[in-house]
Amino acid sequence: MYRCRDCDYLFEEPKKYSEDRTPGGAFEGGSFIEEYMGCPKCSGAYDEVFECDCCSEYYYDEELTDTTGMVNGGIGKVCEQCLEDYDIGGFNE
């Protein structure tokens, strides 16, 4: 899954866009077509997101914590809210 950094839209596959960047005084009749991948809703920048192994919501990789070896852990990668709600790591004493 992917999430747009501009409009926060969650999607499975980015969309391919093409934009003509031919300068006004192009010589030899050449064209400069720029192709790029973007959000299917707004054409913005996007990043891959991953499912929290506890609540199944999607987060950027840097927002998830690997619970391997933690007290009450071993669940996988979980979000901050699940770390607090389920006292993973044993910090809420």
Side-chain angles (χ1 to χ4, degrees):
M1 294 295 280
Y2 301 93
R3 178 170 282 139
C4 180
R5 288 281 184 178
D6 296 329
C7 72
D8 210 35
Y9 183 62
L10 187 66
F11 55 95
E12 290 186 22
E13 291 295 324
K15 182 178 175 183
K16 186 176 185 177
Y17 292 92
S18 297
E19 189 171 328
D20 187 355
R21 299 278 186 161
T22 305
F27 60 95
E28 298 179 12
S31 67
F32 301 93
I33 305 297
E34 176 186 2
E35 292 184 341
Y36 64 95
M37 303 298 283
C39 169
K41 187 174 180 181
C42 75
S43 77
Y46 63 91
D47 284 314
E48 190 171 8
V49 288
F50 303 91
E51 193 172 7
C52 171
D53 291 322
C54 193
C55 69
S56 300
E57 294 293 324
Y58 287 94
Y59 295 91
Y60 298 109
D61 192 44
E62 64 268 14
E63 297 174 316
L64 296 172
T65 301
D66 187 357
T67 62
T68 305
M70 295 177 106
V71 175
N72 298 331
I75 297 168
K77 288 191 169 189
V78 299
C79 66
E80 289 294 320
Q81 190 62 52
C82 288
L83 283 175
E84 288 180 28
D85 290 350
Y86 300 105
D87 193 24
I88 299 169
F91 300 114
N92 299 331
E93 296 179 4

